[in-house]
Amino acid sequence: MNVVFIGLGVGFVFGIILFKAKMLSYDNQVATMQLKNMMLFKYFMSAQLVGSICLTILYVSGYIGINHLVFNAFNSIIGGLIFGVGWGMLGYCPGTCTGAAATGKIDSVFGLIGITLGCILGTKIIPHIAIFTNIFNFGNIGVTNKTSLIISTIILSIVYLIIFRIFEKKKL
């Protein structure tokens, strides 16, 4: 099966979970952007934490390998700006957009079209501007040995749990 369809299927399942947790409502999205309600932020942090722990366990036990891509600051900044503008305009990030599509929200179709066109446009433009953007390459950044990965995962877990506790104390 094509990896794109697997990713799309995972996105739909993720979106249905978001829907059931009431994360797809416009009010929750706006409250998150205004830093008034951190429910969506906590949800994504939880997903990152569970994913990090699971990937660390799989890597340490030898079931998977880790490959790092070259980090390019220019591409990351431009991608982040496009992501932020899209989320601000539409009220959906890619995960919530596919979730909204899976639950029948018509406005999410425009987001899916934008995501698709952006991906196609990016694959066409990036090779032509690579000469310019390659000066912003910082090489392979990441943790490659098992001990460092375990320590990083423990530190991430502690930091996230502290952030969760702060949010709960402030009732965010």
Side-chain angles (χ1 to χ4, degrees):
M1 181 179 269
N2 191 336
V3 174
V4 173
F5 292 114
I6 293 171
L8 188 60
V10 169
F12 276 111
V13 170
F14 184 66
I16 290 169
I17 293 169
L18 287 171
F19 174 75
K20 293 291 186 183
K22 298 187 183 351
M23 302 281 179
L24 298 179
S25 77
Y26 178 77
D27 293 335
N28 282 338
Q29 295 281 322
V30 171
T32 299
M33 286 187 260
Q34 294 175 337
L35 304 177
K36 293 180 179 176
N37 179 349
M38 297 314 222
M39 184 171 59
L40 186 61
F41 189 64
K42 289 187 283 187
Y43 182 83
F44 285 127
M45 284 177 61
S46 298
Q48 290 173 357
L49 189 57
V50 169
S52 296
I53 292 168
C54 290
L55 288 174
T56 299
I57 292 169
L58 290 171
Y59 178 66
V60 169
S61 61
Y63 286 106
I64 62 169
I66 294 179
N67 298 318
H68 298 286
L69 298 175
V70 173
F71 174 72
N72 184 297
F74 179 82
N75 293 347
S76 296
I77 291 168
I78 297 301
L81 289 171
I82 292 169
F83 176 89
V85 168
W87 189 4
M89 288 175 56
L90 190 61
Y92 297 121
C93 69
T96 57
C97 186
T98 55
T103 59
K105 293 192 177 190
I106 301 299
D107 59 339
S108 64
V109 172
F110 296 103
L112 292 176
I113 292 169
I115 291 167
T116 304
L117 291 177
C119 290
I120 292 168
L121 187 63
T123 59
K124 300 295 182 192
I125 290 176
I126 287 175
H128 299 293
I129 63 171
I131 295 169
F132 169 71
T133 63
N134 281 342
I135 62 173
F136 298 100
N137 285 349
F138 286 91
N140 295 339
I141 296 177
V143 179
T144 55
N145 67 53
K146 293 178 182 181
T147 305
S148 297
L149 184 61
I150 292 168
I151 292 168
S152 299
T153 302
I154 290 170
I155 291 170
L156 177 73
S157 300
I158 292 168
V159 169
Y160 274 19
L161 291 173
I162 291 169
I163 292 171
F164 288 146
R165 183 71 178 136
I166 291 168
F167 286 163
E168 290 305 311
K169 277 189 172 183
K170 294 186 180 269
K171 296 185 179 4
L172 290 174

